[in-house]
Amino acid sequence: MAAEQIVSSTMASLSGAAGTCRLLPSSSSYSPRRTKVSVSTSSSLTHSSLRSSSFYSPLPSLVIHNQKHQRRSLNHVANSGTIVITPTCFASDPDQLKSAKGDIRELLKTTFCHPILIRLGWHDAGTYDKNIEEWPQRGGANGSLRFEIELKHAANAGLVNALKLLQPIKDKYPGVTYADLFQLASATAVEEAGGPTIPMKYGRVDVSVPEQCPEEGKLPDAGPPSPADHLRNVFYRMGLSDKEIVALSGAHTLGRSRPERSGWGKPETKYTKDGPGAPGGQSWTAQWLKFDNSYFKDIKERRDEDLLVLPTDAVLFDDPSFKVYAEKYATDQDEFFKDYAEAHAKLSNLGAKFDPPEGFSIDDGSTNPTPEKFVASKYSSGKRELSDAMKQKIRAEYEAVGGSPDKPLQSNYFLNIMIVIAVLALLTSLIGN
């Protein structure tokens, strides 16, 4: 059966129960990190000769590719008559990741699937156990959620629909791992819903076989007997703190709970009866596709019976430690956004094995903004335009006495210089005499 037939999806599938999706890994070849190939400079290098080889198992069901992207730079060695090919292997291709992010944005505009994509990324990462060092036994963001055995875990009910939505993008960009794609989709969904920009890094390596999936029971329940203890047991196992538990809970500002999947919530409310997307379910907030801090406000007030409050939501204002952060986030959305972005990024990295080991960003340097250009006249009373060389000299002197572009000195800079020169002249005169 063709992969396109298996992964095709409509909006109606978003409201269905988890179906059966058999996903089998493929075999793939591994390219060494550094190789040198010497050829005559007169010889031609064809595209096929530079392509990393891989083959796919001829299985009758959907095949999951586990191919590593290989980036090469060609360096001509002077006077040697050879070309040195130095490949650098990344788990994912940065350029394909950027393109995939654009496709995810378009997907969100037409399917309104923000909540389920966030949940997909969380559930792939949320199996992490900090007490286990070995990969992939420790769980975490490793793409294992694409396999049927893990999709059938009770906590993952309905997530097969998220996989169906993303599979065409994965097919289009084979140089992107599932582990990266799940986390990319999750972070992009938050950002596109009006939430904070998540400081993400990529390069996660996929597990290759279903036997590497984590055991069931790693994810939090909605209504445990002791909600506070349960949340701490689950999130502490991941290495997360009380602040991060509360901040991450704020993502419930998006989405709905469907009783046929989770056993919680109403079949329909005034906020969900008309969609968008498949209608039905009960949301935590009135605008359940807008990322803001209304979750904390609504949970605190509990005035609207059409809004959902789970035991694990209510405990955020009942537990003394949780309450400190919940109260703060209910009144300060900027603080919530800042803490949420940090917690989401941390969660998305849990248990992941990165290639390159330090990971990489696709934000085009947006996380490292260019410093403000120094303008000498900003710190003086003069209006004469100075040369670039003079501006650099003044800046160095200015910063040496405690100034900076965003921290002007309290008094006039040039007046300070004149005073210093006068004092030095006086001292020189006294010493000379």
Side-chain angles (χ1 to χ4, degrees):
M1 183 180 295
E4 299 92 296
Q5 293 176 307
I6 297 178
V7 301
S8 62
S9 170
T10 63
M11 273 308 301
S13 69
L14 288 176
S15 62
T20 300
C21 182
R22 182 173 297 278
L23 307 179
L24 298 175
S26 67
S27 300
S28 63
S29 63
Y30 177 74
S31 299
R33 181 166 293 276
R34 294 183 61 87
T35 60
K36 291 188 177 182
V37 180
S38 298
V39 298
S40 170
T41 53
S42 62
S43 300
S44 61
L45 291 176
T46 64
H47 177 71
S48 60
S49 69
L50 296 179
R51 189 183 306 152
S52 62
S53 62
S54 64
F55 63 92
Y56 305 108
S57 303
L59 299 173
S61 53
L62 177 60
V63 175
I64 297 303
H65 305 310
N66 191 30
Q67 180 180 5
K68 293 176 70 66
H69 174 71
Q70 189 175 53
R71 305 186 73 194
R72 292 174 170 85
S73 60
L74 299 180
N75 301 311
H76 180 71
V77 182
N79 303 321
S80 67
T82 62
I83 292 178
V84 177
I85 304 175
T86 307
T88 301
C89 300
F90 287 175
S92 291
D93 176 356
D95 293 332
Q96 289 194 26
L97 271 170
K98 292 178 184 179
S99 298
K101 184 171 185 176
D103 285 12
I104 291 169
R105 284 173 173 159
E106 294 303 313
L107 176 69
L108 292 166
K109 292 176 183 178
T110 57
T111 62
F112 310 103
C113 59
H114 305 67
I116 200 169
L117 293 189
I118 295 171
R119 183 170 164 238
L120 178 70
W122 280 28
H123 283 214
D124 194 47
T127 59
Y128 173 65
D129 189 336
K130 68 177 183 180
N131 300 310
I132 302 175
E133 294 185 5
E134 296 80 10
W135 184 92
Q137 292 91 331
R138 64 194 182 208
N142 57 29
S144 63
L145 192 47
R146 73 189 189 271
F147 291 113
E148 180 183 19
I149 186 173
E150 189 171 344
L151 280 171
K152 284 186 173 181
H153 291 177
N156 295 328
L159 284 181
V160 65
N161 297 314
L163 189 64
K164 288 179 180 179
L165 289 169
L166 291 179
Q167 188 61 47
I169 297 177
K170 179 66 176 75
D171 292 341
K172 185 177 179 181
Y173 303 107
V176 174
T177 63
Y178 278 94
D180 271 349
L181 181 63
F182 293 167
Q183 300 309 322
L184 173 68
S186 182
T188 303
V190 171
E191 296 167 9
E192 292 298 300
T197 299
I198 314 297
M200 299 290 290
K201 69 175 183 176
Y202 297 96
R204 296 169 187 80
V205 176
D206 281 340
V207 296
S208 55
V209 293
E211 288 74 20
Q212 294 174 312
C213 290
E215 61 184 12
E216 190 167 3
K218 297 280 190 176
L219 299 170
D221 294 329
S226 179
D229 290 342
H230 176 71
L231 287 175
R232 288 191 172 98
N233 288 338
V234 172
F235 286 94
Y236 283 10
R237 186 204 71 228
M238 302 182 207
L240 300 175
S241 65
D242 283 359
K243 181 175 78 170
E244 289 162 337
I245 292 172
V246 179
L248 290 171
S249 297
H252 278 152
T253 191
L254 299 178
R256 303 162 283 177
S257 177
R258 296 183 180 275
E260 70 271 19
R261 294 181 185 172
S262 66
W264 293 89
K266 298 179 179 180
E268 181 181 281
T269 71
K270 62 187 176 185
Y271 301 116
T272 65
K273 63 180 180 180
D274 297 323
Q282 186 176 13
S283 59
W284 285 264
T285 62
Q287 293 181 287
W288 49 270
L289 284 176
K290 179 182 179 182
F291 196 101
D292 56 22
N293 68 334
S294 60
Y295 165 82
F296 296 103
K297 295 178 180 179
D298 293 335
I299 296 299
K300 181 178 180 179
E301 295 175 358
R302 304 188 198 183
R303 295 178 182 176
D304 193 332
E305 293 184 355
D306 268 352
L307 296 181
L308 181 63
V309 180
L310 297 171
T312 46
D313 300 318
V315 76
L316 300 183
F317 285 93
D318 295 336
D319 180 88
S321 178
F322 290 158
K323 185 177 181 179
V324 172
Y325 303 106
E327 291 279 5
K328 179 172 64 174
Y329 298 153
T331 58
D332 191 338
Q333 180 169 286
D334 289 340
E335 192 69 17
F336 165 53
F337 275 23
K338 179 181 74 69
D339 290 350
Y340 177 84
E342 293 174 357
H344 186 125
K346 182 176 179 179
L347 175 66
S348 74
N349 294 337
L350 294 181
K353 177 181 178 181
F354 285 93
D355 182 10
E358 69 279 6
F360 59 86
S361 172
I362 61 170
D363 292 333
D364 296 322
S366 60
T367 55
N368 297 306
T370 303
E372 178 185 348
K373 185 178 180 180
F374 179 79
V375 180
S377 60
K378 182 177 179 179
Y379 308 106
S380 70
S381 56
K383 297 182 179 180
R384 180 184 175 185
E385 180 64 19
L386 303 175
S387 68
D388 290 339
M390 181 59 70
K391 288 179 182 179
Q392 292 177 5
K393 182 178 180 180
I394 292 174
R395 175 172 186 162
E397 295 174 349
Y398 183 76
E399 292 179 343
V401 293
S404 69
D406 57 356
K407 182 185 176 183
L409 295 177
Q410 297 299 314
S411 58
N412 185 279
Y413 172 73
F414 288 105
L415 179 60
N416 293 338
I417 294 295
M418 292 175 65
I419 293 173
V420 170
I421 293 173
V423 171
L424 290 174
L426 179 60
L427 289 174
T428 302
S429 177
L430 292 175
I431 293 172
N433 291 334

